Amino acid sequence: MKIYVGNLAFDVTEDELSAEFGTFGKVESVAIPADKFSGRPRGFAFVEMASKSEAEAAIEGLNGKMLKDRTIVVNESRPRTDSRGSGSYGNRRSGGYGGGYGGGRGGRSGGGRQRRY
């Protein structure tokens, strides 16, 4: 089961997280995403645990706990949605530029003017 860990201090390491979660069961993996431009950690992580019961115990035991002077947020990881707009923005932009922009200039505007006058 995958767990989201938020509000992390930027100097927390994967080994430290693995040790914290390891007290509740077997840790399969730990991932701390880094910013693609600066390379700095983004302040959150994903921890994968072997069983659902161990993961739930870790969530219960670590949510709201202090880790390196920060109160961490620990909960079950949910699937990523496109509500941020990163994936759909790229699609909309390329679709708009490729079809809508070219079609809009020749089709909609031109056709609209002819009908109005």
Side-chain angles (χ1 to χ4, degrees):
M1 181 175 169
K2 206 171 206 179
I3 301 169
Y4 167 82
V5 186
N7 199 35
L8 285 177
F10 293 115
D11 60 345
V12 170
T13 66
E14 291 180 359
D15 290 339
E16 289 169 327
L17 279 178
S18 186
E20 287 288 331
F21 281 83
T23 61
F24 295 94
K26 185 173 189 278
V27 175
E28 297 283 321
S29 66
V30 177
I32 302 175
D35 181 75
K36 62 179 155 185
F37 299 111
S38 69
R40 282 184 37 163
R42 295 175 59 192
F44 65 92
F46 295 100
V47 177
E48 199 163 352
M49 298 198 68
S51 75
K52 187 174 176 82
S53 62
E54 292 171 350
E56 287 170 349
I59 291 168
E60 186 71 30
L62 294 174
N63 189 33
K65 183 182 178 196
M66 293 292 286
L67 181 64
K68 291 203 173 185
D69 298 328
R70 306 268 312 248
T71 304
I72 60 172
V73 176
V74 183
N75 52 42
E76 183 177 345
S77 177
R78 291 180 292 281
R80 195 166 153 185
T81 63
D82 277 343
S83 62
R84 296 180 322 155
S86 63
S88 60
Y89 176 74
N91 293 340
R92 210 175 325 144
R93 186 173 169 201
S94 63
Y97 179 75
Y101 181 71
R105 286 181 66 195
R108 274 192 309 242
S109 321
R113 279 194 203 123
Q114 289 173 353
R115 278 186 230 121
R116 276 189 222 129
Y117 294 117

